[in-house]
């Protein structure tokens, strides 16, 4: 798989627009090299879902960040460039959430499928999910461990993980006005868990 086949399919084009044709293509090539190296060392823990997260969502932004830092870009600036790319991907996810919000009884349907969705797409091999509430007014679960946080730390860039976390706010805003997403903390931000609240609005 190449970066152009992931959630950052537009990365090379954006690099060219931002840094110029020659420098942008060179940067995109370095990101691709970093991505392929990360893929070779990736451990999917025997899970197809985790493999998909690694290949399509987690490692592409990490590779871009590593490529930016490799050319001596300051940490904050590099994070902001990665943030710009991941926000574009989050906007695509937001549009998918909007489709759910337009459906009748959106909250009821979301509640009905959420546990099955979490088991399939966020398996125990990568996330420790603690269910606190799933009733007619609120869906609330806590992630006591998270693949994105674990991988960010393992690759020496824990500062990157909040960029992943921020995009939940963008993606889930698409559920409004039927469902309101709220969160008080994340593992990457120093909390003891990432809490997810989906509140019937």
């Amino acid at each position: 798989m190449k970066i152009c086949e992931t959630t950052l399919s537009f990365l090379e084009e954006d690099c060219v627009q931002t840094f110029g044709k020659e420098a942008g293509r060179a940067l995109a090539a370095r990101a691709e090299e970093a991505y392929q190296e990360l893929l070779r060392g990736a451990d999917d823990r025997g899970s197809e879902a985790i493999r998909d997260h690694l290949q399509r969502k987690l490692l592409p932004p990490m590779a871009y960040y590593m490529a930016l830092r490799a050319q001596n870009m300051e940490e904050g600036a590099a994070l902001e460039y990665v943030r710009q790319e991941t926000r574009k991907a989050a906007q695509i996810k937001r549009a998918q959430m909007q489709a759910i919000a337009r459906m009748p009884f959106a909250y009821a349907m979301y509640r009905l499928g959420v546990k099955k969705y979490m088991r399939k797409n966020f398996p125990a091999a990568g996330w420790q999910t603690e269910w606190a509430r799933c009733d007619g007014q609120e869906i609330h679960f806590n992630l006591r461990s998270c693949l994105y946080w674990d991988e960010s730390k393992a690759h020496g860039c824990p500062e990157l993980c909040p960029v992943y976390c921020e995009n939940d706010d963008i993606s889930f805003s698409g559920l409004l006005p039927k469902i309101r997403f709220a969160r008080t903390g994340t593992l990457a931000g120093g909390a003891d868990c990432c809490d997810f609240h989906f509140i019937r609005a």
Side-chain angles (χ1 to χ4, degrees), residues 1 21 24 33 45 50 57 66 96 164 171 174 186-187:
M1 182 174 285
K21 187 174 181 179
E33 290 175 7
R45 309 181 192 184
I50 288 178
K57 304 170 187 176
M66 289 178 170
Q96 296 171 351
Y164 297 117
S171 299
T186 64
L187 292 165

Side-chain angles (χ1 to χ4, degrees), residues 128-148:
Q128 181 186 347
T129 305
E130 171 189 84
W131 288 93
R133 183 176 179 183
C134 190
D135 56 33
Q137 296 302 317
E138 182 181 351
I139 300 160
H140 169 201
F141 59 87
N142 301 316
L143 297 182
R144 296 291 176 181
S145 65
C146 171
L147 178 73
Y148 287 75

Side-chain angles (χ1 to χ4, degrees), residues 39-52:
L39 282 180
R40 285 191 289 273
D43 179 8
D44 63 17
R45 309 181 192 184
S47 166
E48 183 179 343
I50 288 178
R51 183 162 58 253
D52 183 67

Side-chain angles (χ1 to χ4, degrees), residues 99-100 102-114 139 179:
I100 295 175
R102 285 194 293 269
M103 300 175 72
F105 311 109
Y107 179 84
M109 291 195 308
Y110 200 78
R111 176 192 171 198
L112 186 65
V114 67
I139 300 160
I179 304 168

Side-chain angles (χ1 to χ4, degrees), residues 5 18 31 55 67 71 74 80 108 139 146-147:
E5 301 171 286
T18 303
Q55 291 178 345
Q71 59 181 30
E74 186 268 334
E80 186 56 36
I139 300 160
C146 171
L147 178 73

